[in-house]
Amino acid sequence: MEETTPTQHIKLHSNCIPVKGAMRSVICDLQRNLYIPVPHSLIDLFDEDSLLNLELLETTLDTASLQIFSEYLHLLERQEFVFHCNKLEAKNFPTINTEWDFPSQATNCVIDINQGSEHDYTDLIQNELDSVNCHYVQLRSFDAFSLSFWDDIIKIINGSPIRSVDFIIMDVSACFSHKEISEWVYSNRKIRCVTLHSSSENKIVRQQNLGFSLVLSVKEKINSPISCGNIHPSYFSINVESFTESLAHNTCLNRKIAIDTEGNIKNCPSMAKSYGNIRDTKLIDVVNNADFQKVWHIKKDEITKCKDCEFRHICTDCRAYIENPEDQYSAPLKCGYNPYTCQWEEWSTNPLKQQAIEYYGMQALVKDEK
């Protein structure tokens, strides 16, 4: 029976979704790429439709609890996470569809490059990636290359269905200046970001324009695949696409394909297992391989520690470097967050991770990071 006298409620916007962790919750705003930590007790006040009855609340909470709630309500209102309505009006604001799918066999590809690489970029980009309908590529180099080398590749990409590309390249002044790389990026509008590694300083070389044309320089040395897999809030992805993908898939490896420096086809360049070489194996055959697809479905709700983390649906993941190499469902090695204390710590100094660090041969990398 419908209510005859409208009762005042507050409702979370459909794009503001709460996620519970071991000790606290977060509300993720998937439209504005924001999140705010809140206590479980606040989330528990909302029903399954993300609706909270204010009149009922006033009769069930004591004075002290009402005061605390009032402070959190002001926070939610300031951040525009909630709006006031009655129960009838709330029906006009359904929850978002959390199903995920994408019309391609591979959504993204990572191509690693060093001086010994012999990739056929024309065939790889225009034929092989097109065969799996892949529209996003990241090219990562461990050695120095001239700007003309990169220009030859972007010309191939510009003539392909690839929609956007990221470059991770070594910053060497003898190869190009920051001014030259900025002008090059601006003149090639498919470039989303260029990260210059092994640089003298961390800085923004060129500001982004509508999500593209960003150029960054970082002091971090990226000289092998072992450099990837870091888990940090700066890498959080807070949007509808990645959030819904996380509910059923692995957000790092799902529909990803990788080519290492030698042309081996893998789920990730950091992983040991290869499914053939690009010189004699078709990408379409690899992505349709059931064994290749297994890691696509390792979701955060199944991973040790991650399943208790409030950030699990906005965080990246790594299955190449994990705390227990014998357990594919163990936590990412390079994650320093503890969901049971809500504290971030330096992962490389954790004594419980030292055995895995030695297993993956990361001692030199850890030493450099210190």
Side-chain angles (χ1 to χ4, degrees), residues 265-281:
I265 306 169
K266 302 178 177 181
N267 291 109
C268 166
S270 300
M271 289 181 155
K273 188 168 184 178
S274 169
Y275 292 84
N277 193 283
I278 194 63
R279 289 189 291 272
D280 53 29
T281 305

Side-chain angles (χ1 to χ4, degrees), residues 5-145:
T5 303
T7 301
Q8 190 64 26
H9 292 70
I10 60 169
K11 181 175 175 63
L12 285 166
H13 285 284
S14 298
N15 54 282
C16 297
I17 301 181
V19 180
K20 280 191 171 184
M23 301 302 296
R24 64 178 178 181
S25 301
V26 293
I27 302 177
C28 304
D29 185 336
L30 306 182
Q31 180 177 335
R32 295 178 298 166
N33 312 116
L34 302 172
Y35 69 87
I36 54 173
V38 294
H40 291 329
S41 56
L42 177 65
I43 298 303
D44 290 339
L45 295 175
F46 290 86
D47 64 19
E48 64 274 8
D49 296 317
S50 298
L51 199 63
L52 191 157
N53 187 324
L54 290 174
E55 292 185 7
L56 180 62
L57 188 68
E58 292 177 356
T59 65
T60 56
L61 295 184
D62 58 34
T63 303
S65 297
L66 276 173
Q67 177 61 35
I68 295 172
F69 168 76
S70 177
E71 293 173 1
Y72 274 106
L73 177 58
H74 289 325
L75 171 64
L76 295 177
E77 290 174 333
R78 286 198 308 273
Q79 297 289 341
E80 298 180 322
F81 276 50
V82 297
F83 62 95
H84 290 259
C85 62
N86 61 51
K87 198 167 186 178
L88 293 175
E89 293 169 333
K91 292 183 178 181
N92 296 320
F93 301 91
T95 58
I96 64 171
N97 186 344
T98 57
E99 295 182 3
W100 184 92
D101 200 359
F102 197 84
S104 69
Q105 291 95 331
T107 58
N108 65 102
C109 177
V110 177
I111 303 172
D112 276 354
I113 305 168
N114 63 18
Q115 290 289 353
S117 298
E118 298 179 351
H119 304 324
D120 182 342
Y121 296 102
T122 300
D123 182 60
L124 178 55
I125 293 169
Q126 295 190 345
N127 298 323
E128 288 300 308
L129 291 181
D130 187 42
S131 72
V132 294
N133 200 27
C134 179
H135 290 158
Y136 168 74
V137 177
Q138 180 190 91
L139 291 113
R140 180 174 61 174
S141 72
F142 304 131
D143 296 325
F145 290 91

Side-chain angles (χ1 to χ4, degrees), residues 102 134-136 157 160-165 189-191 212:
F102 197 84
C134 179
H135 290 158
Y136 168 74
I157 292 173
S160 77
I162 297 297
R163 295 176 183 173
S164 64
V165 57
R189 298 306 180 91
K190 285 190 177 184
I191 300 176
F212 283 75

Side-chain angles (χ1 to χ4, degrees), residues 137-299:
V137 177
Q138 180 190 91
L139 291 113
R140 180 174 61 174
S141 72
F142 304 131
D143 296 325
F145 290 91
S146 67
L147 187 55
S148 63
F149 172 84
W150 299 115
D151 194 52
D152 288 341
I153 292 179
I154 196 62
K155 286 176 181 176
I156 299 170
I157 292 173
N158 287 340
S160 77
I162 297 297
R163 295 176 183 173
S164 64
V165 57
D166 285 356
F167 290 92
I168 301 176
I169 62 184
M170 183 177 287
D171 190 4
V172 178
S173 59
C175 295
F176 49 77
S177 68
H178 284 187
K179 183 176 184 294
E180 288 173 327
I181 201 78
S182 294
E183 291 174 349
W184 176 72
V185 168
Y186 182 74
S187 63
N188 291 282
R189 298 306 180 91
K190 285 190 177 184
I191 300 176
R192 189 174 68 172
C193 178
V194 170
T195 301
L196 304 172
H197 70 82
S198 307
S199 188
S200 59
E201 60 180 327
N202 296 322
K203 71 173 184 177
I204 298 176
V205 177
R206 177 182 176 82
Q207 295 284 353
Q208 68 173 3
N209 180 17
L210 300 176
F212 283 75
S213 302
L214 176 65
V215 181
L216 304 170
S217 68
V218 297
K219 293 191 290 185
E220 180 186 0
K221 296 178 181 179
I222 301 176
N223 50 25
S224 76
I226 207 168
S227 301
C228 74
N230 292 304
I231 309 297
H232 190 271
S234 60
Y235 300 140
F236 284 175
S237 180
I238 314 165
N239 56 64
V240 173
E241 183 177 359
S242 60
F243 188 97
T244 54
E245 184 178 20
S246 174
L247 298 176
H249 305 285
N250 186 279
T251 49
C252 180
L253 298 174
N254 183 41
R255 303 203 193 181
K256 170 182 280 184
I257 197 159
I259 313 297
D260 73 8
T261 57
E262 297 177 355
N264 298 310
I265 306 169
K266 302 178 177 181
N267 291 109
C268 166
S270 300
M271 289 181 155
K273 188 168 184 178
S274 169
Y275 292 84
N277 193 283
I278 194 63
R279 289 189 291 272
D280 53 29
T281 305
K282 297 295 183 182
L283 292 187
I284 188 68
D285 294 332
V286 174
V287 297
N288 288 328
N289 183 320
D291 189 49
F292 182 81
Q293 294 182 10
K294 282 182 180 179
V295 293
W296 292 5
H297 311 297
I298 301 177
K299 56 188 179 180

